[in-house]
Structures are given as structure tokens and as C-alpha cells.
Amino acid sequence: MKLVKYEFKQFEEKYSRFFSLSLDLLCIANFDGYFKYLNPVWTKILGWSIQELVAQPFIEFVHPEDRESTIVAAEKIAQSVDAVSFENRYLCQDGSYKWLSWNATAFSEEQLIYAVARDITINKENEIALQKSIKELEAFRFALNAHSLVAITDITGKITYVNDLFCEVSKYSSEELLGQDHRIINSGYHTKEFFASLWKTIAQGKIWKGEIQNKAKDGTFYWVDTLIAPMLGQDGKPYQYVSIRTDITQRKLSELALLERSRLSVLSAEVSLALSQSGTLPEILQNCTNTISQYLDIGFVCIWTFERQTNQLQLQAGVHCTDITCSTLSDTQDFPEHIALVNNIIGLMIQNHQAIFNQELSVNHSEKLIESTFSISRFSAYPLIVEQQIIGIMALFSKQLFTEPTHNLLNWIANNIAVAIDRIWAREELLSRREALLLRLASQIRSSLDLDMILETAVNEIRSLLQIDRCYFLSYLPHPSQASLTITYEARNPNLTSMLGSIPLQKSNFLTQNLLSQELICIENINSKSQLDYDIQKLLTEFGITSQLMLPVKSNSGEIGAIVCSHCSGDRIWTNSEINLLQAVCDQLAIAIDHAQLYTQSRTATLEAQTQAEKLTETLHKLQQTQSQLIQNEKMSSLGQLVAGVAHEINNPVNFIHGNLTFANEYFQEMLTLLHLYQQHYPHPEVEIENFAKKIDLEFLTSDLSQLLSSMNMGTNRIREIVLGLRNFSRHDEADKKLVDIHEGIENTLLILHHRWKNNGIGFDITIVKEYGNLPLVDCYAGQLNQVFMNILTNAIDALEESMVKIKTNHKPQIVIRTEVLESKFVVIRIADNGLGMVEDIKKRLFDPFFTTKQVGKGTGLGLSISYQIIVEKHGGILNCLSEPGKGTEFWIQIPI
């Protein structure tokens, strides 16, 4: 027994030594959540004493974020017989936390938990840092893929990876790119040396940076800011390349556009300078082509003009460029005609006068090209047009596509070249034909009889032909009381001040004396002309005149004047040929002035006679109008008297009949009552009476006679209405103005014309639409106003009948009568039909006396003329007609209330 106790004590001491010397954290805990036993490592690692750790529940030392998972693990340990592993963070005495990895087992019989913990703080922190790095790398990769074009190639340049943005920008799918090299997106913009330098850099394991222009699948170009990083193996040599690109197309296009604008601005200035230089036409155009070749990437630039006699294209200037130099084209044989230029493309341009821009050309015989290393693929051509006539062509061949600004500038250059060619041709023609033009001018001046046109033409043509700054006509009027010297006509450079107007007498003595003595004044430089009067020299200096030529003009009628040519830009040598020709012009001008004066005098006499004739014509016209009006008034007066008389004669018997119809109806009713009484009290009459009743159809007689009397009563009422309408329409007893109801006059007119607008037996049934406004009584000549209504409505009915005959469709004729008050001052009556309408020529003559479009015998042509006089002259109103062919006609009557 003692031996057993001794051995057990030794085992306990060994166990205690193992427990205290273990590097792991060993513990025994109760199920109640408190530590029962802890080895010394706890104090070493966490800094707490054993007493402090035992005094509190172990959950108090667990990190708040790990407590829930620790409680779950403790419950699992208590319920399981197997070991449970978990991790959590434990609080140290200094406030920090240590990561512990646990292995624990429970003994239910003892209600104890045996656990081993190990400090894994360093490993855990490394793991957390690694996960963080992985997340950051994922975020970097996401950002890189979202904003950059990423591609990976192997050592030979074959593409092994591309991201989505690379595919999106290049327009290729990843399947189309993988296994290819970057030649698939090569735009051809960069030289071979450029790519050789790039590969040399990355092959040495160095990073390459730069900007590259690539070509997408659809043929568009894009720019990328590129970084190529070699991935190095253990031997220090690249085994693959990662390229990261940023799309900078917009920025690059802006930079290129800015650079292009700058280059094009310089080009336009240089071309303008070349065109302003003196020289022959080929020299000037060659300077232009040389300038264009300096600033544009072209293979050829040529300018042709049409030979003015044969209209054949003639090469005036041209330049041929290679990658190295540019040279002048000496003749047409230097130009590659095999590119099908003249016959096809330029032939089409001559027809439509439209520019050709960036047209692709297929080169079938490249070996025939001069310096064929330059591959010509684009052709542009511009017509040289002056006043809508093509005078030449400018053509360019280029390797690259021209941009829209370049196209616009080339259009501008072509227009300026065309103007320059036209100016040079005009100058050459002017030099060769100056004398002929001057003589022709004299002939034109002499043939004209308009003095103003003669003098104005003279000063303009002389200034244009002699290319001087100013030409004017000086007129001298020797008035007995006070003479005057006036500049009446002038042609001048727009930048100069006008000299038109009177010249003060104190400044005109020198000019007056020379005019009176008919002396020519030739001043090549006013400063070297010592005999000049001080006042005239001062006058010339005031207007900037440096040289002057004055040629007097004296007509046979005594008019005195002078043609004065002046220059304001230095000396001007007036040649003898110019003076002689101008003198001849002045002689012709004097004759023309005499002719113009004679013409003016005769024209004045003619105008007087014409004015007198117009007055007589107007008087005759007024007499005709008065006569026609008197005739019409007499006709209307007679018609009014006749209508009034007839109405009176008809009215008396009709009133007698109408009055007796009432008694006749009463008598008939009484007799009918008596007959019914007989039938009631003697239901069985004699056979003779019964037979006679059947013979006369007594029932029908009694019913129809009542209706017959009613119809007769309606007829007499209708006759009375017509008679009343005739009396109201004629208004024979109302010749003076009085307040009347306009609507009553319209209704009376419609009543009289009832037989015309209702169905007249040949199928015309005109609808009358009345849109009457609330009109006051109007102070007017009622009878004459009714006459106007009669004329307009009759014309409307005639027009509708004509339209029905011509159209022959389901056209429904209609007349619309509208009345309204306008601005509380006027009454407006509008009568509109939906007939054929009128053309403008007929509408203009509508109110002329005796003008009619009706057949002979159907119209006098006076109705609308008299209506116009009644409305406009009698009532101070307005009568207007609105009509268009196919849209009917509307008459607008407006009279003051």
C-alpha cells in the first residue's frame, strides 16, 4: 500500500511538472463557466495572474465579437464526447488581444472541461493581412479592368489574356484576339523603328511607356496611353508581358485637332500670300501647290485649268511627294494617268460641280507609279468655280484620310484659287483689250439718252478700266447771280471719303478757269506741281489725292463739265494713250449730253401731252360711269314704279279673295253640319239620293273641300307675302336714308329670287345657310342696298349653276349668308358660295363698268360696278371680293352703322 501511494505521488509530481512546463495554455474549467485550474503559461502570455483569471467567468476575457461563437462552442463541448476545436481572441492585461486556438473535451461525470489553447496571434495576423491584400488586389484588378485595357502576351508576343474593356474598344471578341499578336490592331500609323525600339526595351526587362494609335475591327482608329511591364522569371528574363492601356482617343483627337487647326491656319495664310504675289498664272499656282505639299501629307497635288478656246484640261502646276522629298511635275507625262482620274472621276465632277472627298482608289499598276513605295489610296478633288462655271480642277492624292476641317480648308483654297485665276485672266484680258473697251464704252454712252445713266456709267467704267482710286464728274453751272461747281457723280474705292456735293467758290477758282478755258489738267504728283493753286492743292490733300487727270467736257448746249480721274496711292503716270482715249470718250460724252438734253426736252413735252390725255381719259371714264349709273338708276326707278304698281293691282283682288275665303269656309262647315244631321235622322235615304251620293263620292268631297279651302288660303297668303316683298324691295317711297333692318332686306331679296335658288326643274336645289348676327338698325338707302343684295345673290346663283353644269358630280351647291357687327362701328354682310371661284385676272376687273364673264344677253357688266358705287361712294363702306379657283367666292360688304 505504501508502494502504491509512493508511485502515485511520483506520477502526480511528474504530471504537475508536465502541466507547469508545457508551452501551451492548459486549463480545466467547470461547466459553470469558471476556470478551475490554469498552468503558468497563461500568466506569461496574457499577463493576468492565475487568481485574476480564476476570479471571473472565462467569457469575460473573450473579445466581445467572439463571445457568441465561444458560448456556442462551450455548449457543444458540454454535449459532446469528442474534442471540439475553435478560435477566439483573449484579453491581455495591457488591453490588447491574443488569438488562441482551442482543443477541448468534456467529462460529464466530473462536470469538467479539459482544454488546450495555443497562441496563434502571429499566424492569424498574417492570415488577416493576406486576406486584406487579396481583397485589395481584387479591388485593384476590378478598377484596372473597369478603366484600362489589359492584355497579357507570351514571350513571342502571342496574346494569352485580354479583359472586357480591351474587347469593347477594339471591337474584337476575346476568341478573335487570343493566339494573335498585336499586329491585328496595328493602324499603320507608327514606323517600323517605333516598334523595334519598343521590343528592344521590354526584352531587356524594362518597362516601356508611350502613346500608340491602334485600329479597331470596324476600321476606326483609337489612341491608348500604354504601359508594358515584363514579368521576369527566376533567371531574371521575361517570360510574359502585361500591357495596361488607357483610352486617350478624345484627348488625342483634341490635341491633333488643335495641331491641325494651327497647321491649317498657317497653310491658309501661306496660300493667301502665294495668291497675292505677282507673276504668271503657272508661277502663282505652282507656289500654291508647293505650299500645300509642305503642310499636308499628300502624294500628288495638281491644278488644271480649262483652256478657254478648246475647253480641254491643261495642267498648270503640280507636286509629287515621296516619303523623303517633293518635286515639281514638269508635264502631264509625270502624272500617273493610269489611276483612272480624268475620264471617270473628273468627268463626273465637271457634270455636277461637286467636290470629291477621300475616295478610295484601286491601284492596278503600282509598278508604273513614280516612287511606288508611297502607296496612294485616297483621292480628293475640288472644282474651281467662278460664277457657277467650272474653270479648273485641283486634285490631291493622300495616304491618310483628310479630316473635315482639312476638307473645308481645301474647299476655301479652291475657291480662292478660282478667284485668283479669274482675276489674272481678267487682268490679262484688260491689258490686251483696254483701248477697245474704252472705245466701246464711248459708243455705249453715246447710244444712251438717259443723262444720269450716261454719267454714272462713264465714271464707273473709267475707274474700273484704268484701275484708279476715284473717278468723278464735275459740273459747272454759270448762273448769272452765283455760279456753282458741283461733283454730281462719283465712283471710288469704298475706303475713301465721298466727294459728292458742291465745292466752295473760294476753292474752285483754279478749276473754274480751267473749265472755262477747256484746258486739260494732268498732275502726276501734286507735291511736284509748282503751278498749282494753293486752294486746289489743299482741297486735293484733304481727300488724300496724290495725282489727278481732268478732261473738260463741253456740249453744244453750253453745259460745261469735266471727267476727273484721281489716284490716292502715290504717283500715277498718265500715259498719252490713256489721255487720248479719255479725250475721245469725253467728246462722245459731250454729244451724248446734247442728245440726252434734247431727249429730255422732247420727253417733257410728251409727258405734258400724255398728262393732258390721261386727264381727258379720266374725265371720259367718269362721264361713262355717271351715264351708266344714271341709266341703271332710271331702270331701277322705272322697275320700282312698275313693281309698286303691279303689287298694288295684285294686292286688291287678292285681299278680296283672301277675305271671302274665311266666309266660304264658315258656310261650308255649316252646310256640312246640316248634312251630318240629315244622315243622323234619315239614315235610309231614297235610292236616287243614295246613288247620287255614291256618284259624287260624298265622303271624298267633304274631306277634300276642306283641304282645298285651306290650300287656297295658303296660296293667297303666299301671294300677299310676295307682293309685300316686292314693295319692301323696291322701297320706291323711301329714297332717303332711314334706319332699316338689314335682315329684312336680305329676306325680301331671297323671297324674290326664290324661283332661282329652289329646285327650278333642272335639278339645281341650292341650300341657303343663314348665320345672322345680332344687328342694330342701320342708317342707309334701303332700296339701293337691296339692289346690291340682288346683284350679288344673282351672281352667286349663276356661278353655282355654272359649277353644277361643269363639274357634274354630287357637288351640293350652297350659299352662306353671315352678318355681324365689327368694332361696334360697322355692319358686315358676307355672302359666300362654293362654286368654281375666280382667277386673279378676273377678280381684278370685277368692279369695272361693262366687264362681264357671262354670255351675250345674260349680263350687262354694270351690276357689280353700281353695287361698288352704292356701298363705297353712297354709304362710305367697303365692298371686297375674296376668291380662289376651286374654293368658291365670298363678297364682303361693310357699311357704317
Side-chain angles (χ1 to χ4, degrees):
M1 189 68 180
K2 289 182 179 181
L3 179 61
V4 173
K5 288 183 179 181
Y6 173 77
E7 289 178 354
F8 178 77
K9 186 175 182 182
Q10 279 188 330
F11 177 77
E12 189 178 19
E13 286 177 357
K14 288 179 181 179
Y15 172 76
S16 177
R17 191 181 305 116
F18 168 77
F19 199 75
S20 61
L21 294 177
S22 175
L23 297 177
D24 292 326
L25 290 83
L26 304 177
C27 69
I28 299 173
N30 292 319
F31 276 14
D32 60 1
Y34 285 86
F35 287 117
K36 184 176 181 182
Y37 184 79
L38 296 170
N39 68 340
V41 179
W42 282 84
T43 301
K44 181 180 178 181
I45 291 176
L46 300 180
W48 300 105
S49 66
I50 298 300
Q51 291 77 13
E52 289 174 325
L53 290 170
V54 172
Q56 297 186 56
F58 58 77
I59 197 65
E60 294 294 332
F61 297 93
V62 178
H63 192 284
E65 294 178 1
D66 299 336
R67 288 178 182 174
E68 185 176 350
S69 62
T70 301
I71 293 171
V72 172
E75 292 175 351
K76 189 175 180 181
I77 293 168
Q79 297 171 2
S80 176
V81 294
D82 297 324
V84 176
S85 299
F86 62 94
E87 294 175 356
N88 60 14
R89 285 166 286 182
Y90 255 67
L91 180 66
C92 299
Q93 191 180 31
D94 59 3
S96 63
Y97 284 89
K98 295 280 189 181
W99 276 97
L100 301 181
S101 177
W102 295 85
N103 279 304
T105 304
F107 288 91
S108 302
E109 297 82 358
E110 300 175 1
Q111 294 289 301
L112 294 176
I113 297 173
Y114 294 85
V116 178
R118 181 170 291 175
D119 183 4
I120 60 169
T121 302
I122 295 175
N123 293 338
K124 198 67 176 178
E125 287 177 351
N126 290 337
E127 181 185 343
I128 293 172
L130 178 60
Q131 290 177 352
K132 183 178 179 183
S133 298
I134 292 171
K135 288 182 180 179
E136 289 175 352
L137 286 173
E138 287 295 330
F140 176 73
R141 179 183 176 186
F142 175 79
L144 194 63
N145 284 328
H147 300 285
S148 300
L149 291 75
V150 181
I152 301 175
T153 65
D154 61 16
I155 193 66
T156 64
K158 300 295 183 185
I159 300 173
T160 58
Y161 169 79
V162 289
N163 67 345
D164 293 340
L165 190 58
F166 191 106
C167 297
E168 180 183 341
V169 174
S170 68
K171 307 293 192 303
Y172 288 100
S173 66
S174 60
E175 291 78 9
E176 293 173 314
L177 291 170
L178 294 177
Q180 301 288 336
D181 58 26
H182 279 80
R183 291 191 192 93
I184 194 173
I185 56 173
N186 188 1
S187 65
Y189 179 82
H190 304 282
T191 62
K192 294 179 180 178
E193 292 76 15
F194 176 85
F195 288 108
S197 174
L198 182 153
W199 277 103
K200 182 179 178 181
T201 302
I202 61 176
Q204 294 173 354
K206 299 177 182 177
I207 293 176
W208 183 91
K209 292 182 180 180
E211 296 177 351
I212 301 178
Q213 185 195 66
N214 289 333
K215 185 178 182 181
K217 183 179 180 180
D218 61 0
T220 58
F221 296 97
Y222 62 95
W223 281 88
V224 286
D225 187 4
T226 305
L227 182 146
I228 302 177
M231 304 299 291
L232 305 179
Q234 294 180 355
D235 57 357
K237 295 181 179 180
Y239 65 91
Q240 66 179 12
Y241 301 104
V242 177
S243 64
I244 301 173
R245 300 173 174 88
T246 304
D247 189 354
I248 57 169
T249 305
Q250 294 302 320
R251 175 176 68 79
K252 199 67 180 179
L253 289 178
S254 300
E255 291 175 358
L256 293 174
L258 184 62
L259 183 62
E260 182 182 29
R261 282 198 297 270
S262 175
R263 186 179 73 254
L264 295 180
S265 297
V266 177
L267 172 58
S268 64
E270 292 287 344
V271 170
S272 298
L273 181 62
L275 292 175
S276 65
Q277 300 297 317
S278 59
T280 64
L281 180 60
E283 290 173 348
I284 292 174
L285 296 183
Q286 190 61 50
N287 289 337
C288 289
T289 56
N290 291 339
T291 303
I292 292 171
S293 67
Q294 292 174 16
Y295 290 95
L296 296 181
D297 185 13
I298 50 97
F300 288 92
V301 55
C302 305
I303 298 176
W304 292 273
T305 58
F306 285 100
E307 208 280 323
R308 283 178 283 181
Q309 278 73 35
T310 64
N311 205 33
Q312 296 295 318
L313 276 176
Q314 181 179 6
L315 183 66
Q316 294 287 352
V319 172
H320 164 243
C321 293
T322 65
D323 288 334
I324 303 171
T325 60
C326 291
S327 58
T328 301
L329 293 176
S330 58
D331 55 39
T332 53
Q333 292 182 352
D334 288 344
F335 190 80
E337 294 182 350
H338 64 280
I339 304 179
L341 169 66
V342 175
N343 293 333
N344 298 327
I345 300 175
I346 293 184
L348 180 63
M349 182 189 299
I350 293 172
Q351 293 178 6
N352 58 25
H353 289 196
Q354 297 295 320
I356 298 171
F357 183 47
N358 283 339
Q359 182 165 330
E360 289 190 6
L361 292 177
S362 58
V363 182
N364 299 323
H365 304 286
S366 59
E367 69 278 0
K368 294 183 180 180
L369 287 174
I370 304 172
E371 298 291 343
S372 61
T373 53
F374 185 88
S375 177
I376 298 173
S377 59
R378 300 286 175 176
F379 171 69
S380 299
Y382 301 87
L384 308 179
I385 298 174
V386 174
E387 296 180 353
Q388 298 182 350
Q389 181 179 1
I390 185 168
I391 64 170
I393 292 169
M394 180 178 72
L396 304 97
F397 293 86
S398 62
K399 179 181 178 182
Q400 299 290 335
L401 288 168
F402 285 148
T403 61
E404 193 68 26
T406 303
H407 173 59
N408 294 334
L409 177 64
L410 289 172
N411 249 329
W412 177 86
I413 289 174
N415 292 334
N416 281 270
I417 289 175
V419 172
I421 293 172
D422 186 60
R423 185 177 66 247
I424 293 169
W425 283 351
R427 186 174 66 224
E428 292 173 353
E429 187 175 358
L430 179 66
L431 292 173
S432 63
R433 300 177 60 191
R434 175 181 288 179
E435 293 186 3
L437 286 173
L438 280 172
L439 291 174
R440 185 160 55 87
L441 172 65
S443 176
Q444 290 174 352
I445 291 174
R446 188 174 181 182
S447 65
S448 176
L449 296 176
D450 187 343
L451 187 57
D452 291 334
M453 190 184 72
I454 290 171
L455 297 175
E456 188 160 353
T457 302
V459 296
N460 278 291
E461 292 295 334
I462 291 171
R463 176 183 174 271
S464 176
L465 291 171
L466 298 184
Q467 295 295 300
I468 54 178
D469 292 329
R470 191 194 304 267
C471 180
Y472 56 88
F473 183 77
L474 191 63
S475 176
Y476 176 70
L477 297 176
H479 197 272
S481 60
Q482 187 176 11
S484 64
L485 196 64
T486 309
I487 297 175
T488 53
Y489 300 94
E490 177 188 47
R492 59 184 172 85
N493 188 314
N495 297 326
L496 299 178
T497 306
S498 176
M499 293 180 67
L500 290 173
S502 299
I503 300 176
L505 293 176
Q506 62 272 18
K507 296 183 179 181
S508 61
N509 290 331
F510 178 81
L511 295 175
T512 303
Q513 291 173 6
N514 282 274
L515 285 173
L516 293 174
S517 60
Q518 292 293 289
E519 293 182 12
L520 180 145
I521 301 176
C522 181
I523 307 171
E524 295 177 351
N525 190 322
I526 63 170
N527 296 320
S528 61
K529 198 75 172 178
S530 57
Q531 70 269 29
L532 274 180
D533 181 80
Y534 170 77
D535 290 330
I536 191 62
Q537 191 169 15
K538 183 178 179 182
L539 176 65
L540 296 177
T541 304
E542 179 182 343
F543 288 97
I545 297 172
T546 57
S547 61
Q548 183 162 288
L549 175 67
M550 186 178 82
L551 296 94
V553 178
K554 185 175 182 180
S555 65
N556 293 329
S557 60
E559 293 289 334
I560 298 174
I563 289 291
V564 183
C565 302
S566 60
H567 213 58
C568 301
S569 13
D571 295 353
R572 175 67 158 85
I573 306 300
W574 307 101
T575 64
N576 289 331
S577 62
E578 289 174 340
I579 294 173
N580 291 335
L581 288 171
L582 286 174
Q583 186 62 62
V585 171
C586 289
D587 292 341
Q588 297 297 328
L589 191 60
I591 297 171
I593 291 173
D594 287 336
H595 287 179
Q597 287 183 339
L598 290 173
Y599 171 71
T600 303
Q601 292 172 1
S602 63
R603 188 178 178 186
T604 302
T606 303
L607 286 174
E608 290 178 356
Q610 187 177 353
T611 303
Q612 189 67 25
E614 288 177 356
K615 288 182 179 179
L616 289 173
T617 302
E618 185 179 356
T619 303
L620 179 61
H621 180 70
K622 287 183 178 179
L623 287 172
Q624 288 176 340
Q625 280 189 330
T626 304
Q627 183 182 10
S628 65
Q629 190 173 2
L630 287 172
I631 291 170
Q632 188 70 11
N633 287 341
E634 183 63 28
K635 286 170 64 178
M636 292 303 297
S637 177
S638 300
L639 179 63
Q641 291 177 357
L642 176 63
V643 167
V646 169
H648 179 72
E649 292 301 323
I650 292 175
N651 198 42
N652 287 335
V654 167
N655 283 339
F656 173 77
I657 295 170
H658 183 75
N660 287 330
L661 280 174
T662 304
F663 298 108
N665 188 47
E666 290 178 1
Y667 298 160
F668 169 72
Q669 293 297 331
E670 290 176 354
M671 292 178 68
L672 191 61
T673 302
L674 178 63
L675 181 62
H676 286 160
L677 287 173
Y678 269 108
Q679 288 177 341
Q680 181 180 355
H681 292 288
Y682 300 99
H684 303 291
E686 294 293 329
V687 175
E688 184 179 358
I689 295 173
E690 188 174 356
N691 290 337
F692 186 76
K694 288 180 180 179
K695 181 180 179 179
I696 65 174
D697 197 353
L698 183 61
E699 261 182 57
F700 171 76
L701 254 171
T702 54
S703 63
D704 190 53
L705 185 58
S706 177
Q707 294 177 5
L708 186 65
L709 289 172
S710 176
S711 177
M712 292 172 64
N713 188 51
M714 288 175 61
T716 55
N717 279 330
R718 177 66 181 157
I719 294 171
R720 292 176 70 195
E721 288 176 359
I722 292 172
V723 169
L724 181 61
L726 287 171
R727 290 187 60 195
N728 289 337
F729 176 79
S730 64
R731 303 272 185 174
H732 180 64
D733 54 344
E734 299 176 7
D736 295 331
K737 268 189 173 185
K738 64 179 294 185
L739 294 173
V740 296
D741 183 355
I742 296 292
H743 294 157
E744 182 182 347
I746 296 172
E747 291 295 332
N748 291 330
T749 307
L750 290 173
L751 182 65
I752 294 170
L753 294 175
H754 187 273
H755 69 289
R756 291 288 312 276
W757 59 267
K758 276 297 182 185
N759 194 321
N760 58 6
I762 57 173
F764 301 135
D765 191 3
I766 300 172
T767 302
I768 305 294
V769 179
K770 303 172 186 176
E771 298 179 3
Y772 291 164
N774 188 15
L775 302 185
L777 297 179
V778 179
D779 189 17
C780 63
Y781 297 98
Q784 295 184 12
L785 197 59
N786 289 342
Q787 183 182 349
V788 173
F789 296 153
M790 175 69 77
N791 289 334
I792 293 175
L793 286 168
T794 301
N795 285 342
I797 294 170
D798 290 342
L800 289 173
E801 289 180 352
E802 181 184 358
S803 68
M804 291 298 294
V805 172
K806 289 185 177 180
I807 297 175
K808 294 182 180 179
T809 62
N810 294 326
H811 176 70
K812 295 183 179 180
Q814 177 179 282
I815 297 175
V816 179
I817 305 173
R818 299 182 179 91
T819 62
E820 60 182 317
V821 177
L822 184 64
E823 297 177 354
S824 303
K825 297 180 181 179
F826 301 96
V827 165
V828 174
I829 305 103
R830 290 187 290 167
I831 301 174
D833 65 68
N834 61 347
L836 296 175
M838 292 180 283
V839 297
E840 189 65 26
D841 291 341
I842 293 178
K843 197 168 69 171
K844 288 180 180 178
R845 302 181 58 194
L846 203 58
F847 300 114
D848 293 349
F850 306 106
F851 174 75
T852 180
T853 58
K854 298 177 182 177
Q855 298 177 357
V856 178
K858 291 197 71 175
T860 63
L862 291 173
L864 289 179
S865 173
I866 291 172
S867 298
Y868 186 85
Q869 293 176 356
I870 290 171
I871 297 300
V872 177
E873 297 178 9
K874 283 270 189 178
H875 290 85
I878 297 172
L879 178 59
N880 196 9
C881 177
L882 308 173
S883 182
E884 290 184 34
K887 295 185 178 180
T889 303
E890 179 180 84
F891 281 89
W892 175 290
I893 304 169
Q894 179 177 317
I895 57 175
I897 291 177

